[in-house]
Amino acid sequence: NAGVTQTPKFRILKIGQSMTLQCTQDMNHNYMYWYRQDPGMGLKLIYYSVGAGITDKGEVPNGYNVSRSTTEDFPLRLELAAPSQTSVYFCASGPNTIYFGEGSWLTVV
Amino acid sequence: GQNIDQPTEMTATEGAIVQINCTYQTSGFNGLFWYQQHAGEAPTFLSYNVLDGLEEKGRFSSFLSRSKGYSYLLLKELQMKDSASYLCAVAGGSQGNLIFGKGTKLSVKP
C-alpha cells in the first residue's frame, strides 16, 4: 500500500514564483489535511477537506490555496512564494487514524 | 480559540517509565491523538482516545479525561529508539479540524 504520497520531496523556489505540492492517498479516506511545520513550532493546519468538493481553512491559510476534485487528491498551491513559506509541508489523510505523507521540504529564496 | 499545551522537553533513562502530559482547551471535542515524530521524518500514529479512560497498546498507553481537558502518554521500558518528539493533537468542534500541540522532545539516556 502506498498510503499518502506527496511530491516533490525537496524544492527551492524564488520569491514570487508559484508551485503546487501534490498529495494523493489510496485508502479512500474522506478527510485530508495540509500542515506546515517550522522548527520548534509544531504542526500548523493550513487547509483541510472532509470530502471531494469541500475544503476549509485551518489556522494559517494565507498565501495558500487548495482544491479537492477527487477523493484521492488534495493539491496545495502557493501562488506568490515568500520567504515566510520556507517550511516542511505534510499532507495527511484519515477518518479516525490520521496517516501522514513523508513531507516536502520547501525553501523560498 | 483552541489551545494545546505539553512540556517542551523531557529526559528519561533507558528502561524507565515516562509520562508526557497534554492539556487542551478547544471548542468542541471529537477525540485526542498522540503521534511520535523522529527528527526529519513524518509523524506516526500512536493512539486515539475519544472516551475517558486508559488505552493500552504494548509499551505505550494513553489516558484521557474529557472533564479536565487532560491526557497523558505513558511509555514503559524506555528504549533508546524512543528518543523523539511526541505530539498531542485534538480533533475540535469543526468537522475535520485537527490541531496539534508544539510537541514534547523526549531524550532517552543510557
Side-chain angles (χ1 to χ4, degrees):
Chain A
N1 261 348
V4 180
T5 304
Q6 55 179 111
T7 58
K9 182 124 180 144
F10 300 98
R11 181 75 186 268
I12 299 175
L13 274 182
K14 293 185 177 178
I15 294 172
Q17 284 186 320
S18 299
M19 76 159 295
T20 299
L21 296 174
Q22 302 290 345
C23 177
T24 187
Q25 52 93 6
D26 61 1
M27 296 173 281
N28 201 32
H29 286 164
N30 285 326
Y31 290 18
M32 295 190 75
Y33 307 83
W34 273 107
Y35 291 90
R36 60 176 287 173
Q37 186 174 38
D38 302 314
M41 296 301 293
L43 288 157
K44 293 290 187 182
L45 182 62
I46 305 172
Y47 271 95
Y48 66 99
S49 169
V50 300
I54 306 168
T55 62
D56 212 340
K57 295 178 180 179
E59 302 169 274
V60 290
N62 291 345
Y64 307 94
N65 278 301
V66 293
S67 60
R68 186 93 183 271
S69 56
T70 66
T71 298
E72 293 78 19
D73 300 309
F74 190 43
L76 177 73
R77 180 136 181 100
L78 286 71
E79 289 295 347
L80 291 170
S84 61
Q85 293 177 305
T86 293
S87 190
V88 183
Y89 292 83
F90 288 101
C91 179
S93 77
N96 294 328
T97 301
I98 310 301
Y99 296 93
F100 283 80
E102 293 187 344
S104 297
W105 275 253
L106 177 66
T107 302
V108 182
V109 296
Chain B
Q2 303 194 103
N3 192 48
I4 300 173
D5 285 317
Q6 49 182 130
T8 304
E9 293 186 39
M10 297 183 71
T11 302
T13 305
E14 191 176 17
I17 300 173
V18 70
Q19 178 175 311
I20 302 174
N21 296 323
C22 172
T23 57
Y24 64 90
Q25 294 171 313
T26 58
S27 52
F29 180 82
N30 290 304
L32 186 142
F33 298 81
W34 283 97
Y35 281 82
Q36 180 191 60
Q37 186 178 27
H38 286 100
E41 298 182 8
T44 55
F45 172 81
L46 290 177
S47 69
Y48 170 64
N49 294 68
V50 66
L51 299 175
D52 289 351
L54 187 68
E55 295 277 346
E56 297 185 81
K57 192 183 293 185
R59 294 189 299 115
F60 292 7
S61 303
S62 57
F63 172 83
L64 175 67
S65 170
R66 289 173 295 171
S67 62
K68 295 182 179 178
Y70 168 70
S71 173
Y72 67 73
L73 180 70
L74 193 70
L75 293 75
K76 302 176 185 175
E77 301 170 13
L78 280 172
Q79 302 175 9
M80 298 300 290
K81 67 178 182 179
D82 297 329
S83 292
S85 288
Y86 291 85
L87 313 178
C88 173
V90 176
S94 299
Q95 187 184 17
N97 196 353
L98 182 64
I99 303 299
F100 281 79
K102 293 184 179 180
T104 299
K105 185 176 180 181
L106 175 66
S107 298
V108 180
K109 300 190 182 303

